[in-house]
Amino acid sequence: MKAAEVRHILDTIGGMFPDAHCELNHSNAFELTIAVLLSAQCTDATVNKVTEDLFQKYKAPIDYISVPLEELEQDIRRIGLFRNKAKHIQNLCSILIEQYGGEVPQAHDLLVTLPGVGRKTANVVVSNAFGVPAIAVDTHVERVAKRLALAGWKDSVLEVEKKLMKAVPREEWTLTHHRLIFFGRYHCKAQNPQCQICPLLDVCREGKKRMKTAVIRKDKVHTKPNKELEKKRMG
């Protein structure tokens, strides 16, 4: 894709969601790390409901390992995969205390070694907590990138990330990440995307396909009564 086309996409989405931001509530890097870990296969809204009480009870890594695993599980049981996530949290907190003085490391390569912290989580933490430009590819970012041909349909998450990093100016990586999420979460949804009012329909291969299908279905609806009327006349 040409640079001008990428610029058009970025500016259009930027105009739609100029105030896009991380919607996971947190007050420091540690809370953000816990929140992103909990958000896997779970909505940000649900995570925020859980962390509202969680972050009042647990202030630091030592707090999470000072309670039985079963108690932590109950505190996050509204979160999907809560048992595995509770184990990851306690293991992560133990490592932070033993190796990093209770602080979240700022280096990406160190973050991804922590239990429950994958590349996406590390990208979110370094970009939002430490101001390091990064593009975290979640389901929304992946879907939007592929629909707008910023990445290939069969590209892996890592390939999508690399293509976005190459296409988007480095200083815009973090902001673009947030805007792509907002665009995918509130406009270009997985089900029933708002193609009919989308300002990027002209460059969206998925949108064009959906609109074409919608026109064909509409034509069938209009032609069916006519055929039935013709049969009655002939009968």
Side-chain angles (χ1 to χ4, degrees):
M1 181 176 289
K2 296 180 180 179
E5 295 174 321
V6 174
R7 188 73 264 164
H8 168 62
I9 291 173
L10 297 181
D11 290 345
T12 300
I13 294 178
M16 295 173 69
F17 302 101
D19 301 318
H21 59 279
C22 177
E23 293 192 295
L24 289 171
N25 296 333
H26 64 282
S27 59
N28 54 55
F30 176 60
E31 288 186 353
L32 178 59
T33 302
I34 297 298
V36 182
L37 188 157
L38 292 174
S39 71
Q41 299 183 40
C42 185
T43 65
D44 286 2
T46 299
V47 172
N48 286 336
K49 290 178 182 178
V50 171
T51 56
E52 183 176 2
D53 294 326
L54 194 72
F55 291 161
Q56 289 297 317
K57 180 177 181 179
Y58 304 94
K59 301 290 187 179
I62 189 64
D63 299 325
Y64 285 94
I65 63 174
S66 297
V67 299
L69 177 62
E70 293 74 16
E71 183 174 341
L72 179 56
E73 288 178 350
Q74 288 303 308
D75 289 334
I76 64 171
R77 67 188 316 273
R78 286 182 289 172
I79 299 286
L81 306 174
F82 69 92
R83 288 189 175 87
N84 284 335
K85 291 177 181 178
K87 291 179 183 177
H88 286 324
I89 289 173
Q90 287 200 333
N91 290 335
L92 179 150
C93 288
S94 294
I95 292 175
L96 292 184
I97 293 171
E98 295 169 4
Q99 299 183 24
Y100 302 106
E103 300 293 329
V104 175
Q106 297 188 24
H108 188 279
D109 59 343
L110 295 179
L111 281 167
V112 294
T113 66
L114 298 174
V117 177
R119 186 174 182 84
K120 184 201 77 172
T121 300
N123 282 343
V124 172
V125 173
V126 298
S127 60
N128 289 279
F130 303 125
V132 179
I135 297 179
V137 180
D138 68 353
T139 56
H140 300 297
V141 174
E142 181 180 8
R143 180 175 65 255
V144 171
K146 290 182 176 181
R147 285 179 174 179
L148 294 176
L150 292 169
W153 288 119
K154 296 182 179 181
D155 284 349
S156 66
V157 172
L158 181 57
E159 288 171 331
V160 172
E161 180 185 334
K162 288 181 177 179
K163 287 185 177 180
L164 287 174
M165 290 170 65
K166 184 177 181 180
V168 179
R170 188 175 189 275
E171 64 273 14
E172 296 180 39
W173 285 357
T174 300
L175 183 56
T176 295
H177 155 71
H178 292 313
R179 287 175 173 174
L180 289 176
I181 288 179
F182 269 53
F183 185 75
R185 180 176 290 161
Y186 302 113
H187 181 81
C188 189
K189 302 176 183 180
Q191 302 295 329
N192 301 316
Q194 301 178 45
C195 302
Q196 67 278 8
I197 60 170
C198 184
L200 290 174
L201 181 60
D202 60 323
V203 296
C204 180
R205 49 189 177 181
E206 174 72 10
K208 291 177 180 178
K209 179 181 177 181
R210 284 176 175 270
M211 293 304 291
K212 184 177 180 180
T213 301
V215 170
I216 293 174
R217 288 176 179 171
K218 186 176 181 180
D219 288 342
K220 286 183 177 179
V221 170
H222 285 301
T223 57
K224 187 175 181 181
N226 292 335
K227 289 182 178 180
E228 291 178 349
L229 181 60
E230 185 177 346
K231 287 181 180 179
K232 288 182 179 180
R233 287 175 177 174
M234 293 180 66

PDB file of all heavy atoms in Angstrom, residues 143-177:
ATOM      1  N   ARG A 143      -8.219  -7.271  13.005  1.00  0.00           N
ATOM      2  CA  ARG A 143      -9.375  -7.256  12.098  1.00  0.00           C
ATOM      3  C   ARG A 143      -9.360  -6.025  11.199  1.00  0.00           C
ATOM      4  O   ARG A 143      -9.524  -6.131   9.973  1.00  0.00           O
ATOM      5  CB  ARG A 143     -10.674  -7.289  12.913  1.00  0.00           C
ATOM      6  CG  ARG A 143     -11.932  -7.268  12.049  1.00  0.00           C
ATOM      7  CD  ARG A 143     -13.188  -7.413  12.871  1.00  0.00           C
ATOM      8  NE  ARG A 143     -13.441  -6.310  13.775  1.00  0.00           N
ATOM      9  CZ  ARG A 143     -13.256  -6.336  15.084  1.00  0.00           C
ATOM     10  NH1 ARG A 143     -12.791  -7.414  15.668  1.00  0.00           N
ATOM     11  NH2 ARG A 143     -13.533  -5.277  15.832  1.00  0.00           N
ATOM     12  N   VAL A 144      -9.145  -4.860  11.776  1.00  0.00           N
ATOM     13  CA  VAL A 144      -9.159  -3.620  11.009  1.00  0.00           C
ATOM     14  C   VAL A 144      -8.008  -3.587  10.003  1.00  0.00           C
ATOM     15  O   VAL A 144      -8.186  -3.214   8.839  1.00  0.00           O
ATOM     16  CB  VAL A 144      -9.073  -2.397  11.950  1.00  0.00           C
ATOM     17  CG1 VAL A 144      -8.852  -1.117  11.150  1.00  0.00           C
ATOM     18  CG2 VAL A 144     -10.348  -2.280  12.776  1.00  0.00           C
ATOM     19  N   ALA A 145      -6.820  -3.994  10.444  1.00  0.00           N
ATOM     20  CA  ALA A 145      -5.648  -3.981   9.562  1.00  0.00           C
ATOM     21  C   ALA A 145      -5.861  -4.864   8.347  1.00  0.00           C
ATOM     22  O   ALA A 145      -5.489  -4.504   7.222  1.00  0.00           O
ATOM     23  CB  ALA A 145      -4.417  -4.432  10.335  1.00  0.00           C
ATOM     24  N   LYS A 146      -6.471  -6.013   8.550  1.00  0.00           N
ATOM     25  CA  LYS A 146      -6.696  -6.932   7.439  1.00  0.00           C
ATOM     26  C   LYS A 146      -7.823  -6.459   6.530  1.00  0.00           C
ATOM     27  O   LYS A 146      -7.736  -6.582   5.310  1.00  0.00           O
ATOM     28  CB  LYS A 146      -6.983  -8.335   7.981  1.00  0.00           C
ATOM     29  CG  LYS A 146      -5.756  -8.982   8.613  1.00  0.00           C
ATOM     30  CD  LYS A 146      -6.022 -10.391   9.111  1.00  0.00           C
ATOM     31  CE  LYS A 146      -4.747 -11.023   9.642  1.00  0.00           C
ATOM     32  NZ  LYS A 146      -4.949 -12.418  10.125  1.00  0.00           N
ATOM     33  N   ARG A 147      -8.870  -5.900   7.095  1.00  0.00           N
ATOM     34  CA  ARG A 147      -9.978  -5.411   6.274  1.00  0.00           C
ATOM     35  C   ARG A 147      -9.549  -4.229   5.405  1.00  0.00           C
ATOM     36  O   ARG A 147      -9.991  -4.098   4.267  1.00  0.00           O
ATOM     37  CB  ARG A 147     -11.158  -5.005   7.168  1.00  0.00           C
ATOM     38  CG  ARG A 147     -11.943  -6.181   7.735  1.00  0.00           C
ATOM     39  CD  ARG A 147     -13.096  -5.723   8.625  1.00  0.00           C
ATOM     40  NE  ARG A 147     -13.908  -6.849   9.047  1.00  0.00           N
ATOM     41  CZ  ARG A 147     -14.970  -6.757   9.851  1.00  0.00           C
ATOM     42  NH1 ARG A 147     -15.303  -5.562  10.345  1.00  0.00           N
ATOM     43  NH2 ARG A 147     -15.659  -7.836  10.172  1.00  0.00           N
ATOM     44  N   LEU A 148      -8.672  -3.395   5.940  1.00  0.00           N
ATOM     45  CA  LEU A 148      -8.223  -2.208   5.201  1.00  0.00           C
ATOM     46  C   LEU A 148      -6.977  -2.476   4.369  1.00  0.00           C
ATOM     47  O   LEU A 148      -6.379  -1.556   3.834  1.00  0.00           O
ATOM     48  CB  LEU A 148      -7.963  -1.061   6.178  1.00  0.00           C
ATOM     49  CG  LEU A 148      -9.193  -0.514   6.916  1.00  0.00           C
ATOM     50  CD1 LEU A 148      -8.774   0.552   7.929  1.00  0.00           C
ATOM     51  CD2 LEU A 148     -10.204   0.056   5.938  1.00  0.00           C
ATOM     52  N   ALA A 149      -6.583  -3.758   4.288  1.00  0.00           N
ATOM     53  CA  ALA A 149      -5.434  -4.184   3.478  1.00  0.00           C
ATOM     54  C   ALA A 149      -4.105  -3.613   3.974  1.00  0.00           C
ATOM     55  O   ALA A 149      -3.151  -3.498   3.210  1.00  0.00           O
ATOM     56  CB  ALA A 149      -5.649  -3.825   2.007  1.00  0.00           C
ATOM     57  N   LEU A 150      -4.060  -3.266   5.251  1.00  0.00           N
ATOM     58  CA  LEU A 150      -2.793  -2.860   5.846  1.00  0.00           C
ATOM     59  C   LEU A 150      -1.967  -4.101   6.162  1.00  0.00           C
ATOM     60  O   LEU A 150      -0.777  -4.018   6.451  1.00  0.00           O
ATOM     61  CB  LEU A 150      -3.045  -2.060   7.130  1.00  0.00           C
ATOM     62  CG  LEU A 150      -3.686  -0.675   6.943  1.00  0.00           C
ATOM     63  CD1 LEU A 150      -4.134  -0.112   8.281  1.00  0.00           C
ATOM     64  CD2 LEU A 150      -2.705   0.277   6.261  1.00  0.00           C
ATOM     65  N   ALA A 151      -2.634  -5.247   6.119  1.00  0.00           N
ATOM     66  CA  ALA A 151      -1.971  -6.535   6.327  1.00  0.00           C
ATOM     67  C   ALA A 151      -2.723  -7.576   5.498  1.00  0.00           C
ATOM     68  O   ALA A 151      -3.843  -7.334   5.039  1.00  0.00           O
ATOM     69  CB  ALA A 151      -1.999  -6.918   7.808  1.00  0.00           C
ATOM     70  N   GLY A 152      -2.101  -8.728   5.305  1.00  0.00           N
ATOM     71  CA  GLY A 152      -2.725  -9.782   4.517  1.00  0.00           C
ATOM     72  C   GLY A 152      -3.704 -10.602   5.337  1.00  0.00           C
ATOM     73  O   GLY A 152      -3.574 -10.699   6.556  1.00  0.00           O
ATOM     74  N   TRP A 153      -4.666 -11.204   4.648  1.00  0.00           N
ATOM     75  CA  TRP A 153      -5.693 -11.987   5.334  1.00  0.00           C
ATOM     76  C   TRP A 153      -5.088 -13.112   6.165  1.00  0.00           C
ATOM     77  O   TRP A 153      -5.581 -13.446   7.241  1.00  0.00           O
ATOM     78  CB  TRP A 153      -6.669 -12.597   4.331  1.00  0.00           C
ATOM     79  CG  TRP A 153      -7.615 -11.638   3.686  1.00  0.00           C
ATOM     80  CD1 TRP A 153      -7.729 -11.359   2.356  1.00  0.00           C
ATOM     81  CD2 TRP A 153      -8.619 -10.821   4.330  1.00  0.00           C
ATOM     82  NE1 TRP A 153      -8.714 -10.425   2.136  1.00  0.00           N
ATOM     83  CE2 TRP A 153      -9.279 -10.084   3.325  1.00  0.00           C
ATOM     84  CE3 TRP A 153      -9.007 -10.654   5.656  1.00  0.00           C
ATOM     85  CZ2 TRP A 153     -10.304  -9.193   3.604  1.00  0.00           C
ATOM     86  CZ3 TRP A 153     -10.032  -9.762   5.949  1.00  0.00           C
ATOM     87  CH2 TRP A 153     -10.660  -9.039   4.930  1.00  0.00           C
ATOM     88  N   LYS A 154      -4.017 -13.727   5.661  1.00  0.00           N
ATOM     89  CA  LYS A 154      -3.429 -14.889   6.325  1.00  0.00           C
ATOM     90  C   LYS A 154      -2.248 -14.535   7.231  1.00  0.00           C
ATOM     91  O   LYS A 154      -1.608 -15.426   7.790  1.00  0.00           O
ATOM     92  CB  LYS A 154      -2.988 -15.919   5.277  1.00  0.00           C
ATOM     93  CG  LYS A 154      -4.146 -16.501   4.470  1.00  0.00           C
ATOM     94  CD  LYS A 154      -3.648 -17.554   3.490  1.00  0.00           C
ATOM     95  CE  LYS A 154      -4.818 -18.147   2.694  1.00  0.00           C
ATOM     96  NZ  LYS A 154      -4.343 -19.195   1.741  1.00  0.00           N
ATOM     97  N   ASP A 155      -1.973 -13.255   7.393  1.00  0.00           N
ATOM     98  CA  ASP A 155      -0.845 -12.838   8.227  1.00  0.00           C
ATOM     99  C   ASP A 155      -1.058 -13.227   9.691  1.00  0.00           C
ATOM    100  O   ASP A 155      -2.176 -13.141  10.214  1.00  0.00           O
ATOM    101  CB  ASP A 155      -0.646 -11.320   8.149  1.00  0.00           C
ATOM    102  CG  ASP A 155       0.011 -10.893   6.850  1.00  0.00           C
ATOM    103  OD1 ASP A 155       0.494 -11.765   6.116  1.00  0.00           O
ATOM    104  OD2 ASP A 155       0.033  -9.675   6.574  1.00  0.00           O
ATOM    105  N   SER A 156       0.012 -13.624  10.340  1.00  0.00           N
ATOM    106  CA  SER A 156      -0.046 -13.903  11.779  1.00  0.00           C
ATOM    107  C   SER A 156      -0.115 -12.575  12.525  1.00  0.00           C
ATOM    108  O   SER A 156       0.088 -11.506  11.936  1.00  0.00           O
ATOM    109  CB  SER A 156       1.197 -14.672  12.214  1.00  0.00           C
ATOM    110  OG  SER A 156       2.354 -13.854  12.064  1.00  0.00           O
ATOM    111  N   VAL A 157      -0.380 -12.650  13.822  1.00  0.00           N
ATOM    112  CA  VAL A 157      -0.428 -11.439  14.637  1.00  0.00           C
ATOM    113  C   VAL A 157       0.902 -10.696  14.582  1.00  0.00           C
ATOM    114  O   VAL A 157       0.941  -9.468  14.469  1.00  0.00           O
ATOM    115  CB  VAL A 157      -0.777 -11.785  16.103  1.00  0.00           C
ATOM    116  CG1 VAL A 157      -0.628 -10.555  16.997  1.00  0.00           C
ATOM    117  CG2 VAL A 157      -2.193 -12.323  16.201  1.00  0.00           C
ATOM    118  N   LEU A 158       1.997 -11.440  14.632  1.00  0.00           N
ATOM    119  CA  LEU A 158       3.320 -10.817  14.573  1.00  0.00           C
ATOM    120  C   LEU A 158       3.558 -10.157  13.217  1.00  0.00           C
ATOM    121  O   LEU A 158       4.125  -9.055  13.146  1.00  0.00           O
ATOM    122  CB  LEU A 158       4.411 -11.854  14.834  1.00  0.00           C
ATOM    123  CG  LEU A 158       5.852 -11.336  14.825  1.00  0.00           C
ATOM    124  CD1 LEU A 158       6.036 -10.220  15.839  1.00  0.00           C
ATOM    125  CD2 LEU A 158       6.829 -12.481  15.098  1.00  0.00           C
ATOM    126  N   GLU A 159       3.110 -10.796  12.147  1.00  0.00           N
ATOM    127  CA  GLU A 159       3.262 -10.215  10.809  1.00  0.00           C
ATOM    128  C   GLU A 159       2.435  -8.944  10.670  1.00  0.00           C
ATOM    129  O   GLU A 159       2.871  -7.975  10.035  1.00  0.00           O
ATOM    130  CB  GLU A 159       2.853 -11.247   9.755  1.00  0.00           C
ATOM    131  CG  GLU A 159       3.847 -12.385   9.601  1.00  0.00           C
ATOM    132  CD  GLU A 159       3.340 -13.507   8.710  1.00  0.00           C
ATOM    133  OE1 GLU A 159       2.108 -13.720   8.641  1.00  0.00           O
ATOM    134  OE2 GLU A 159       4.174 -14.191   8.095  1.00  0.00           O
ATOM    135  N   VAL A 160       1.239  -8.934  11.258  1.00  0.00           N
ATOM    136  CA  VAL A 160       0.402  -7.727  11.246  1.00  0.00           C
ATOM    137  C   VAL A 160       1.116  -6.598  11.975  1.00  0.00           C
ATOM    138  O   VAL A 160       1.171  -5.465  11.491  1.00  0.00           O
ATOM    139  CB  VAL A 160      -0.969  -7.997  11.911  1.00  0.00           C
ATOM    140  CG1 VAL A 160      -1.752  -6.684  12.056  1.00  0.00           C
ATOM    141  CG2 VAL A 160      -1.783  -8.994  11.092  1.00  0.00           C
ATOM    142  N   GLU A 161       1.681  -6.914  13.124  1.00  0.00           N
ATOM    143  CA  GLU A 161       2.404  -5.908  13.904  1.00  0.00           C
ATOM    144  C   GLU A 161       3.565  -5.322  13.106  1.00  0.00           C
ATOM    145  O   GLU A 161       3.758  -4.098  13.054  1.00  0.00           O
ATOM    146  CB  GLU A 161       2.930  -6.528  15.196  1.00  0.00           C
ATOM    147  CG  GLU A 161       3.696  -5.537  16.066  1.00  0.00           C
ATOM    148  CD  GLU A 161       4.318  -6.184  17.284  1.00  0.00           C
ATOM    149  OE1 GLU A 161       3.799  -7.217  17.749  1.00  0.00           O
ATOM    150  OE2 GLU A 161       5.342  -5.649  17.780  1.00  0.00           O
ATOM    151  N   LYS A 162       4.341  -6.188  12.473  1.00  0.00           N
ATOM    152  CA  LYS A 162       5.506  -5.731  11.719  1.00  0.00           C
ATOM    153  C   LYS A 162       5.097  -4.851  10.535  1.00  0.00           C
ATOM    154  O   LYS A 162       5.762  -3.851  10.245  1.00  0.00           O
ATOM    155  CB  LYS A 162       6.311  -6.934  11.233  1.00  0.00           C
ATOM    156  CG  LYS A 162       7.066  -7.652  12.340  1.00  0.00           C
ATOM    157  CD  LYS A 162       7.873  -8.817  11.793  1.00  0.00           C
ATOM    158  CE  LYS A 162       8.695  -9.492  12.881  1.00  0.00           C
ATOM    159  NZ  LYS A 162       9.468 -10.646  12.360  1.00  0.00           N
ATOM    160  N   LYS A 163       4.008  -5.223   9.854  1.00  0.00           N
ATOM    161  CA  LYS A 163       3.559  -4.432   8.703  1.00  0.00           C
ATOM    162  C   LYS A 163       3.038  -3.070   9.138  1.00  0.00           C
ATOM    163  O   LYS A 163       3.262  -2.062   8.462  1.00  0.00           O
ATOM    164  CB  LYS A 163       2.502  -5.210   7.918  1.00  0.00           C
ATOM    165  CG  LYS A 163       3.082  -6.377   7.129  1.00  0.00           C
ATOM    166  CD  LYS A 163       2.042  -7.066   6.259  1.00  0.00           C
ATOM    167  CE  LYS A 163       2.699  -8.186   5.438  1.00  0.00           C
ATOM    168  NZ  LYS A 163       1.726  -8.893   4.564  1.00  0.00           N
ATOM    169  N   LEU A 164       2.348  -3.034  10.277  1.00  0.00           N
ATOM    170  CA  LEU A 164       1.857  -1.752  10.791  1.00  0.00           C
ATOM    171  C   LEU A 164       3.022  -0.873  11.236  1.00  0.00           C
ATOM    172  O   LEU A 164       3.035   0.340  10.992  1.00  0.00           O
ATOM    173  CB  LEU A 164       0.896  -1.992  11.964  1.00  0.00           C
ATOM    174  CG  LEU A 164      -0.479  -2.546  11.611  1.00  0.00           C
ATOM    175  CD1 LEU A 164      -1.268  -2.859  12.878  1.00  0.00           C
ATOM    176  CD2 LEU A 164      -1.257  -1.566  10.739  1.00  0.00           C
ATOM    177  N   MET A 165       4.014  -1.470  11.855  1.00  0.00           N
ATOM    178  CA  MET A 165       5.193  -0.711  12.286  1.00  0.00           C
ATOM    179  C   MET A 165       5.936  -0.127  11.088  1.00  0.00           C
ATOM    180  O   MET A 165       6.514   0.964  11.176  1.00  0.00           O
ATOM    181  CB  MET A 165       6.123  -1.621  13.099  1.00  0.00           C
ATOM    182  CG  MET A 165       5.580  -1.999  14.467  1.00  0.00           C
ATOM    183  SD  MET A 165       6.555  -3.295  15.279  1.00  0.00           S
ATOM    184  CE  MET A 165       8.106  -2.453  15.524  1.00  0.00           C
ATOM    185  N   LYS A 166       5.931  -0.847   9.993  1.00  0.00           N
ATOM    186  CA  LYS A 166       6.612  -0.373   8.783  1.00  0.00           C
ATOM    187  C   LYS A 166       5.815   0.729   8.093  1.00  0.00           C
ATOM    188  O   LYS A 166       6.385   1.685   7.554  1.00  0.00           O
ATOM    189  CB  LYS A 166       6.824  -1.541   7.819  1.00  0.00           C
ATOM    190  CG  LYS A 166       7.616  -1.181   6.575  1.00  0.00           C
ATOM    191  CD  LYS A 166       7.855  -2.404   5.701  1.00  0.00           C
ATOM    192  CE  LYS A 166       8.664  -2.047   4.458  1.00  0.00           C
ATOM    193  NZ  LYS A 166       8.905  -3.243   3.586  1.00  0.00           N
ATOM    194  N   ALA A 167       4.484   0.611   8.122  1.00  0.00           N
ATOM    195  CA  ALA A 167       3.626   1.561   7.404  1.00  0.00           C
ATOM    196  C   ALA A 167       3.366   2.851   8.180  1.00  0.00           C
ATOM    197  O   ALA A 167       3.214   3.923   7.593  1.00  0.00           O
ATOM    198  CB  ALA A 167       2.297   0.895   7.062  1.00  0.00           C
ATOM    199  N   VAL A 168       3.331   2.742   9.505  1.00  0.00           N
ATOM    200  CA  VAL A 168       2.982   3.895  10.353  1.00  0.00           C
ATOM    201  C   VAL A 168       4.250   4.544  10.915  1.00  0.00           C
ATOM    202  O   VAL A 168       5.157   3.851  11.371  1.00  0.00           O
ATOM    203  CB  VAL A 168       2.087   3.433  11.526  1.00  0.00           C
ATOM    204  CG1 VAL A 168       1.741   4.620  12.430  1.00  0.00           C
ATOM    205  CG2 VAL A 168       0.818   2.772  10.990  1.00  0.00           C
ATOM    206  N   PRO A 169       4.337   5.880  10.883  1.00  0.00           N
ATOM    207  CA  PRO A 169       5.494   6.567  11.467  1.00  0.00           C
ATOM    208  C   PRO A 169       5.665   6.174  12.933  1.00  0.00           C
ATOM    209  O   PRO A 169       4.689   6.074  13.670  1.00  0.00           O
ATOM    210  CB  PRO A 169       5.120   8.053  11.333  1.00  0.00           C
ATOM    211  CG  PRO A 169       4.201   8.094  10.156  1.00  0.00           C
ATOM    212  CD  PRO A 169       3.391   6.831  10.256  1.00  0.00           C
ATOM    213  N   ARG A 170       6.894   5.950  13.351  1.00  0.00           N
ATOM    214  CA  ARG A 170       7.163   5.440  14.701  1.00  0.00           C
ATOM    215  C   ARG A 170       6.541   6.300  15.795  1.00  0.00           C
ATOM    216  O   ARG A 170       6.003   5.776  16.786  1.00  0.00           O
ATOM    217  CB  ARG A 170       8.672   5.328  14.937  1.00  0.00           C
ATOM    218  CG  ARG A 170       9.038   4.629  16.245  1.00  0.00           C
ATOM    219  CD  ARG A 170      10.553   4.433  16.358  1.00  0.00           C
ATOM    220  NE  ARG A 170      10.896   3.590  17.506  1.00  0.00           N
ATOM    221  CZ  ARG A 170      11.045   4.031  18.739  1.00  0.00           C
ATOM    222  NH1 ARG A 170      10.899   5.336  18.989  1.00  0.00           N
ATOM    223  NH2 ARG A 170      11.348   3.202  19.730  1.00  0.00           N
ATOM    224  N   GLU A 171       6.578   7.598  15.623  1.00  0.00           N
ATOM    225  CA  GLU A 171       6.036   8.480  16.657  1.00  0.00           C
ATOM    226  C   GLU A 171       4.510   8.387  16.772  1.00  0.00           C
ATOM    227  O   GLU A 171       3.918   8.896  17.729  1.00  0.00           O
ATOM    228  CB  GLU A 171       6.441   9.933  16.393  1.00  0.00           C
ATOM    229  CG  GLU A 171       5.884  10.547  15.111  1.00  0.00           C
ATOM    230  CD  GLU A 171       6.759  10.284  13.891  1.00  0.00           C
ATOM    231  OE1 GLU A 171       7.647   9.410  13.966  1.00  0.00           O
ATOM    232  OE2 GLU A 171       6.552  10.973  12.877  1.00  0.00           O
ATOM    233  N   GLU A 172       3.884   7.697  15.812  1.00  0.00           N
ATOM    234  CA  GLU A 172       2.429   7.553  15.833  1.00  0.00           C
ATOM    235  C   GLU A 172       1.987   6.135  16.204  1.00  0.00           C
ATOM    236  O   GLU A 172       0.796   5.845  16.216  1.00  0.00           O
ATOM    237  CB  GLU A 172       1.841   7.918  14.453  1.00  0.00           C
ATOM    238  CG  GLU A 172       2.052   9.358  14.040  1.00  0.00           C
ATOM    239  CD  GLU A 172       1.442   9.662  12.675  1.00  0.00           C
ATOM    240  OE1 GLU A 172       0.348   9.145  12.382  1.00  0.00           O
ATOM    241  OE2 GLU A 172       2.072  10.397  11.895  1.00  0.00           O
ATOM    242  N   TRP A 173       2.932   5.268  16.513  1.00  0.00           N
ATOM    243  CA  TRP A 173       2.583   3.869  16.793  1.00  0.00           C
ATOM    244  C   TRP A 173       1.560   3.727  17.920  1.00  0.00           C
ATOM    245  O   TRP A 173       0.531   3.070  17.752  1.00  0.00           O
ATOM    246  CB  TRP A 173       3.847   3.078  17.160  1.00  0.00           C
ATOM    247  CG  TRP A 173       4.717   2.750  15.993  1.00  0.00           C
ATOM    248  CD1 TRP A 173       4.472   3.030  14.673  1.00  0.00           C
ATOM    249  CD2 TRP A 173       5.992   2.096  16.038  1.00  0.00           C
ATOM    250  NE1 TRP A 173       5.515   2.589  13.898  1.00  0.00           N
ATOM    251  CE2 TRP A 173       6.459   2.012  14.698  1.00  0.00           C
ATOM    252  CE3 TRP A 173       6.772   1.581  17.065  1.00  0.00           C
ATOM    253  CZ2 TRP A 173       7.679   1.414  14.384  1.00  0.00           C
ATOM    254  CZ3 TRP A 173       7.996   0.992  16.760  1.00  0.00           C
ATOM    255  CH2 TRP A 173       8.435   0.909  15.432  1.00  0.00           C
ATOM    256  N   THR A 174       1.840   4.323  19.057  1.00  0.00           N
ATOM    257  CA  THR A 174       0.966   4.156  20.222  1.00  0.00           C
ATOM    258  C   THR A 174      -0.418   4.743  19.970  1.00  0.00           C
ATOM    259  O   THR A 174      -1.441   4.105  20.260  1.00  0.00           O
ATOM    260  CB  THR A 174       1.596   4.804  21.471  1.00  0.00           C
ATOM    261  OG1 THR A 174       2.860   4.177  21.740  1.00  0.00           O
ATOM    262  CG2 THR A 174       0.687   4.647  22.678  1.00  0.00           C
ATOM    263  N   LEU A 175      -0.463   5.952  19.426  1.00  0.00           N
ATOM    264  CA  LEU A 175      -1.741   6.596  19.158  1.00  0.00           C
ATOM    265  C   LEU A 175      -2.527   5.815  18.106  1.00  0.00           C
ATOM    266  O   LEU A 175      -3.749   5.638  18.228  1.00  0.00           O
ATOM    267  CB  LEU A 175      -1.518   8.037  18.683  1.00  0.00           C
ATOM    268  CG  LEU A 175      -2.780   8.881  18.434  1.00  0.00           C
ATOM    269  CD1 LEU A 175      -3.647   8.930  19.685  1.00  0.00           C
ATOM    270  CD2 LEU A 175      -2.402  10.285  17.991  1.00  0.00           C
ATOM    271  N   THR A 176      -1.837   5.320  17.088  1.00  0.00           N
ATOM    272  CA  THR A 176      -2.494   4.534  16.052  1.00  0.00           C
ATOM    273  C   THR A 176      -3.070   3.253  16.636  1.00  0.00           C
ATOM    274  O   THR A 176      -4.175   2.830  16.277  1.00  0.00           O
ATOM    275  CB  THR A 176      -1.502   4.190  14.927  1.00  0.00           C
ATOM    276  OG1 THR A 176      -1.092   5.404  14.280  1.00  0.00           O
ATOM    277  CG2 THR A 176      -2.140   3.269  13.896  1.00  0.00           C
ATOM    278  N   HIS A 177      -2.341   2.635  17.543  1.00  0.00           N
ATOM    279  CA  HIS A 177      -2.833   1.435  18.233  1.00  0.00           C
ATOM    280  C   HIS A 177      -4.171   1.713  18.902  1.00  0.00           C
ATOM    281  O   HIS A 177      -5.135   0.960  18.732  1.00  0.00           O
ATOM    282  CB  HIS A 177      -1.791   0.991  19.275  1.00  0.00           C
ATOM    283  CG  HIS A 177      -2.341   0.204  20.413  1.00  0.00           C
ATOM    284  ND1 HIS A 177      -2.805  -1.080  20.277  1.00  0.00           N
ATOM    285  CD2 HIS A 177      -2.505   0.525  21.725  1.00  0.00           C
ATOM    286  CE1 HIS A 177      -3.242  -1.526  21.447  1.00  0.00           C
ATOM    287  NE2 HIS A 177      -3.067  -0.566  22.339  1.00  0.00           N
TER     288      HIS A 177
END
